[in-house]
Amino acid sequence: MTNLTGKDPAATRAPARLGWLPRGSTLPTDVWVQRHRAILVVLWLHVPGLFGFGLVGNQSLSHSLGEAAVVAIFATAATVLRPHRLLSTVLAALGLFTCSAVLVHLSGGFIEMHFHYFVMVGVVTLYQDWRPFIIAIGYVVLQHGLAGALAPASVYNHQTAIEHPWQWAGVHGLFVLAMSSAGVASWKLNESLLQAAADREDKLAEAQEVAMLGSWEWDVSTETVTWSHEMFRLFGTTPEELTPSYDAFFSYVHPDDKDELALDVHRAVDEGAPYARDFRVLTEDGLLRWLHGRGEVITWEAGQTRLLTGTVQDVTERKRLEDELAHQAFHDALTNLANQALFRNRVEHATTRAARRESPLAVLFLDLDNFKTVNDSLGHTVGDELLVAVAQRLQRHVRGADTAARLGGDEFAVLLDDIEAEGDATRLAERLILALSAPFSSGGREVVVGVSIGIAFHDPALSSDQLLRNADLAMYRAKAAGKGRAQVFEPEMHTAALERLDMESDLRRALGRGELSVQYQPIVAVGVGVISSVEALVRWRHPVRGLLSPVTFIPLAEETGLIHELGRQVLFEACLQARRWQLDHPSVPGLTR
């Protein structure tokens, strides 16, 4: 969009500074070009017109031709010097008033012909420039004075003016000046409107720059495209370097976004549907910038789109923040690995693809050995540094297409998508065990941890959650087998896990129902052959499985914390039984245990 205050850089304002007078020289260059072109046409039309007027007025051919030639000289000079705004304007103004002088001269000083001056003043006022205007007024006075003194009959047709040419030259100058007041007033009003529009455009341009928002218009019928200054800035170019057009706009659009955006624009043109879309552009300075574009049809003619307008706004920072938030939502803040949510999502998609392609898929579940010892003894800061170092080693050993994740605490996982054979997963597990068993330097100390890994392979009958569960079960089996090793999931592991879950539930109920009993095993002093003490042994009479040995449920009670209640009940029952024995057999010595 053209700046409404644009003008010839060489122009200077006229000395008039009164507020009620126009400033002058404020006409935009493109508007001046259009007006100057029309005024030159008027000037050139006077050449044959004056020549014909001279012939009709019984002037000789040579005389008529000579008078018309003077005007032609001014017209030629003003046309040739059009690149020089001020000089061409002054020459055109002088040429117009020369037309008036020639017309008066050819008419024999006929008084009505002086009205031509008044018309030309109105034409010159269209330039809205004090310099040609003042020069024109001076020209009128000077021409009337000199010509009136040298050849008064060619200027005046009454005796008073002939006798006092300079006095009447001044009178004519004042008349011309007075007649031009209406044009000057219109000139002033036009300047005020132009300035107000310029101020609004400046404020709009400033607002667009702050908002990084550019606007455009596309006249579909003429293929004319207009951009605001901010549009050029967004594309890293200038109005001098680029002419706005449909093709110029799309030359900046990223190839991956071009087709969809073009479809939106064509749908708007064909159907009148507004559009809004985010797209990328490659600027002249090599930057990748995200823009949000909007467009709508605002003018229709005969059912056809005439004018399309819209805006584009720089949303690069918004996109960056969105990407950052999305990254934070799906990545572990400490290690920058995928978090549990992202890992589960990728496992779900991978199992869907694997089912279609019938390709192997594996999940590795990793749990660090002895991490709790390091964390408790050296502190959480050292523990966090160790986790970051583990994540870095983990990433170095997986493929780019694989997903490594931290599930929480010291638990990690790896998704192996589209492997060639199941052996690829076991070999990776072996490499990871070897890599993670090497010492770490953390907190100024050398720290050694290990890792236990569970491996589960995809089965079409399994869901993604079941696949993760199987890898977890295999990892616990690896830990139970001695840590620092890998274990492939086997179906009986799930069966054992279910049995363990059932056993835990039954044990909780048994403690509440009193299903546990205490049996006593005597300890005999061999030397004397008498019972010296007894050992209290707990037994569980399961309602379904019958009498269970402590080996079956004591480890489970220790793992689940039920051992505390179990121990309390056994101790209570043993103490109670010892007291009974003391009461029933008071004569038996040493019955104290």
Side-chain angles (χ1 to χ4, degrees):
M1 296 180 181
T2 305
N3 185 351
L4 295 177
T5 59
K7 58 184 180 181
D8 182 3
T12 58
R13 294 179 179 174
R17 295 298 179 187
L18 296 178
W20 53 273
L21 287 176
R23 293 175 300 168
S25 303
T26 59
L27 202 64
T29 301
D30 55 342
V31 177
W32 175 85
V33 169
Q34 294 176 358
R35 293 187 180 183
H36 189 56
R37 184 185 300 117
I39 291 173
L40 286 178
V41 170
V42 171
L43 181 57
W44 276 108
L45 288 176
H46 275 82
V47 175
L50 292 173
F51 176 71
F53 182 80
L55 295 178
V56 172
N58 298 320
Q59 300 290 340
S60 67
L61 177 64
S62 59
H63 186 193
S64 300
L65 187 61
E67 297 292 339
V70 174
V71 176
I73 291 173
F74 279 103
T76 301
T79 302
V80 172
L81 296 174
R82 276 183 299 178
H84 304 279
R85 174 172 173 169
L86 175 60
L87 184 57
S88 184
T89 299
V90 170
L91 288 171
L94 291 175
L96 291 173
F97 282 102
T98 300
C99 293
S100 299
V102 170
L103 184 63
V104 171
H105 167 66
L106 292 176
S107 69
F110 198 64
I111 192 65
E112 281 77 6
M113 292 303 173
H114 286 80
F115 285 105
H116 190 274
Y117 283 102
F118 303 145
V119 176
M120 293 301 101
V121 167
V123 174
V124 172
T125 305
L126 292 175
Y127 283 119
Q128 296 184 191
D129 193 332
W130 281 112
R131 292 160 297 186
F133 182 80
I134 293 174
I135 290 173
I137 298 299
Y139 176 89
V140 171
V141 175
L142 186 62
Q143 186 268 334
H144 276 68
L146 289 176
L150 299 176
S154 65
V155 181
Y156 306 112
N157 64 350
H158 58 93
Q159 192 61 34
T160 304
I162 293 174
E163 294 174 354
H164 307 284
W166 285 105
Q167 180 180 349
W168 281 91
V171 171
H172 277 263
L174 289 174
F175 271 120
V176 170
L177 186 61
M179 287 295 295
S180 66
S181 59
V184 172
S186 176
W187 171 7
K188 173 62 177 179
L189 178 61
N190 193 25
E191 274 192 359
S192 299
L193 295 175
L194 194 65
Q195 184 60 45
D199 291 343
R200 289 194 298 270
E201 183 170 310
D202 288 342
K203 291 179 180 178
L204 176 61
E206 182 179 356
Q208 288 189 348
E209 183 176 358
V210 172
M212 294 183 288
L213 177 73
S215 57
W216 54 267
E217 288 184 354
W218 178 24
D219 189 326
V220 180
S221 60
T222 63
E223 293 296 327
T224 302
V225 178
T226 307
W227 285 3
S228 69
H229 288 294
E230 186 64 13
M231 280 283 293
F232 290 98
R233 194 195 67 79
L234 290 175
F235 288 102
T237 184
T238 64
E240 293 75 23
E241 297 173 338
L242 179 71
T243 300
S245 68
Y246 176 89
D247 292 335
F249 178 88
F250 275 92
S251 67
Y252 289 97
V253 178
H254 192 282
D256 294 341
D257 300 336
K258 190 173 295 186
D259 291 341
E260 291 184 350
L261 182 60
L263 183 63
D264 286 342
V265 174
H266 287 298
R267 185 181 294 115
V269 173
D270 297 337
E271 305 173 10
Y275 70 87
R277 176 179 294 279
D278 291 344
F279 59 94
R280 292 162 293 176
V281 295
L282 298 171
T283 66
E284 288 288 352
D285 45 9
L287 296 177
L288 178 65
R289 180 170 284 161
W290 274 99
L291 300 179
H292 177 73
R294 291 177 175 270
E296 63 177 339
V297 177
I298 61 171
T299 304
W300 287 77
E301 286 186 3
Q304 299 293 322
T305 298
R306 172 63 186 274
L307 187 63
L308 195 69
T309 184
T311 60
V312 292
Q313 184 174 20
D314 189 341
V315 293
T316 306
E317 183 64 15
R318 190 197 77 189
K319 284 288 187 179
R320 186 191 67 79
L321 291 175
E322 289 177 354
D323 292 343
E324 184 177 329
L325 290 174
H327 183 84
Q328 292 175 356
F330 294 105
H331 288 80
D332 178 60
L334 179 63
T335 63
N336 205 37
L337 295 178
N339 62 12
Q340 184 169 164
L342 179 59
F343 188 75
R344 287 183 175 276
N345 178 268
R346 291 189 177 178
V347 170
E348 183 175 354
H349 284 83
T351 54
T352 303
R353 290 193 302 270
R356 291 198 306 265
R357 297 181 304 195
E358 298 183 353
S359 57
L361 168 68
V363 170
L364 276 61
F365 201 106
L366 295 77
D367 188 90
L368 298 182
D369 300 330
N370 304 319
F371 175 76
K372 187 176 185 302
T373 302
V374 174
N375 206 39
D376 292 344
S377 59
L378 300 180
H380 293 290
T381 300
V382 174
D384 289 346
E385 292 177 358
L386 179 59
L387 290 174
V388 172
V390 168
Q392 292 172 347
R393 287 193 189 179
L394 183 61
Q395 285 183 302
R396 286 198 295 265
H397 286 81
V398 299
R399 302 175 304 175
D402 300 331
T403 301
R406 181 189 176 210
L407 304 183
D410 60 346
E411 293 181 339
F412 295 83
V414 177
L415 169 63
L416 300 178
D417 190 10
D418 196 21
I419 56 177
E420 295 182 359
E422 294 183 353
D424 294 342
T426 56
R427 284 189 290 272
L428 173 61
E430 292 170 359
R431 292 196 301 271
L432 291 176
I433 291 172
L434 183 62
L436 297 178
S437 64
F440 291 90
S441 178
S442 182
R445 293 174 177 268
E446 187 175 87
V447 179
V448 178
V449 294
V451 65
S452 298
I453 302 177
I455 307 172
F457 294 101
H458 172 254
D459 187 309
L462 298 177
S463 66
S464 58
D465 287 340
Q466 290 171 328
L467 179 61
L468 291 171
R469 177 206 64 196
N470 291 348
D472 191 20
L473 290 173
M475 182 274 295
Y476 278 108
R477 180 62 64 88
K479 275 193 174 295
K483 301 181 180 180
R485 64 187 65 201
Q487 178 68 54
V488 177
F489 172 79
E490 296 177 358
E492 56 266 24
M493 294 180 186
H494 184 223
T495 302
L498 292 177
E499 291 178 352
R500 181 182 181 280
L501 183 63
D502 292 340
M503 182 71 74
E504 180 183 346
S505 299
D506 292 345
L507 181 57
R508 291 181 184 278
R509 286 192 294 269
L511 290 171
R513 295 172 180 176
E515 295 178 0
L516 299 180
S517 62
V518 180
Q519 297 182 356
Y520 303 94
Q521 178 174 293
I523 299 176
V524 179
V526 178
V528 295
V530 297
I531 297 175
S532 62
S533 61
V534 294
E535 181 180 4
L537 302 175
V538 65
R539 296 292 183 269
W540 179 11
R541 192 170 296 280
H542 194 280
V544 177
R545 301 182 183 183
L547 188 64
L548 298 179
S549 166
V551 177
T552 307
F553 60 88
I554 291 297
L556 177 62
E558 291 175 342
E559 291 178 13
T560 59
L562 296 174
I563 192 66
H564 302 294
E565 177 61 21
L566 188 151
R568 189 193 65 79
Q569 291 187 15
V570 170
L571 181 60
F572 178 82
E573 179 61 30
C575 291
L576 185 62
Q577 182 60 52
R579 182 57 179 162
R580 290 195 194 103
W581 284 334
Q582 288 176 347
L583 295 175
D584 292 344
H585 307 281
S587 61
V588 177
L591 191 59
T592 60
R593 301 173 65 181

